Amino acid sequence: PHILPCIPRNVARYIEPFAGSCCVFLALRPRRAIISDLNIDLIEAYRTIRAHPDKVFSVVSSMPDTDCFYYELRAMPVSELDDVVRAARFVYLNRHCFNGVYRTNRSGMFNVPKGSKAGVIPTKEQFQSFAKAMRKASLRSNDFEKTLKQASEDDFVYLDPPYSPPNTRF
């Protein structure tokens, strides 16, 4: 609510290099956008939901909310899953993991434990609305600097980078 009034009304294109949940994009609903994130799993999930919202909803809504299922799903090799199941897996794990954190180990496997407060799976209508909004966006998995190079004069760029504690080294 604090950001939306600061955005100029007539922007040619909205650009978000650190997409994450895309909450500003979804609230703004621009006519054209570039949505980007370095997390390829996130962008692939968004692409699949954009193309098949009802299928992804059907799969994710059928998944049980149990500790056992969470860890079984988390351990599944994503390379063996089709796009719809992979997107449903992403949504399920994000909604049931600790604080919605996305983290992988050195092997690239999602490794966040199950949280104690499970999030709600979006409704079918929310999946459809999200897909409709995403049809106006170019989805890219890029480093933020590459995405920023695509901005031009009449674009609006929303930069909300990930946060790290002070004195943290990467």
Side-chain angles (χ1 to χ4, degrees):
H2 300 289
I3 295 169
L4 292 179
C6 299
I7 299 173
R9 293 185 189 268
N10 296 318
V11 298
R13 185 174 53 177
Y14 173 87
I15 300 174
E16 190 167 348
F18 300 102
S21 67
C22 298
C23 61
V24 174
F25 166 79
L26 292 169
L28 187 63
R29 301 284 174 143
R31 291 186 315 268
R32 293 179 52 223
I34 295 175
I35 299 298
S36 182
D37 199 285
L38 194 55
N39 183 343
I40 186 67
D41 295 330
L42 172 73
I43 297 300
E44 288 300 324
Y46 285 174
R47 285 182 180 140
T48 303
I49 294 168
R50 177 175 66 184
H52 308 288
D54 294 349
K55 289 180 181 179
V56 176
F57 170 76
S58 178
V59 173
V60 74
S61 64
S62 70
M63 295 176 170
D65 180 12
T66 65
D67 289 357
C68 183
F69 182 78
Y70 177 89
Y71 289 105
E72 286 175 10
L73 186 65
R74 188 182 82 165
M76 284 183 186
V78 293
S79 61
E80 297 176 10
L81 306 175
D82 68 38
D83 292 347
V84 169
V85 175
R86 190 175 11 229
R89 176 186 180 273
F90 187 93
V91 171
Y92 179 93
L93 292 176
N94 176 262
R95 293 301 174 117
H96 290 84
C97 71
F98 177 76
N99 285 348
V101 172
Y102 185 89
R103 182 186 67 214
T104 58
N105 61 21
R106 289 183 182 171
S107 300
M109 296 289 296
F110 182 80
N111 67 352
V112 179
K114 188 171 189 303
S116 59
K117 296 178 259 179
V120 176
I121 299 298
T123 64
K124 185 175 188 176
E125 293 75 22
Q126 288 170 320
F127 271 92
Q128 292 168 341
S129 177
F130 180 83
K132 183 177 179 181
M134 283 296 166
R135 288 186 191 111
K136 296 183 179 186
S138 173
L139 297 171
R140 304 175 185 175
S141 179
N142 290 331
D143 180 82
F144 77 97
E145 290 173 323
K146 184 173 181 181
T147 301
L148 288 177
K149 287 180 182 175
Q150 298 167 35
S152 58
E153 186 176 329
D154 293 327
D155 293 337
F156 177 80
V157 179
Y158 175 61
L159 287 167
D160 186 16
Y163 304 99
S164 64
N167 303 321
T168 302
R169 293 182 57 187
F170 292 98

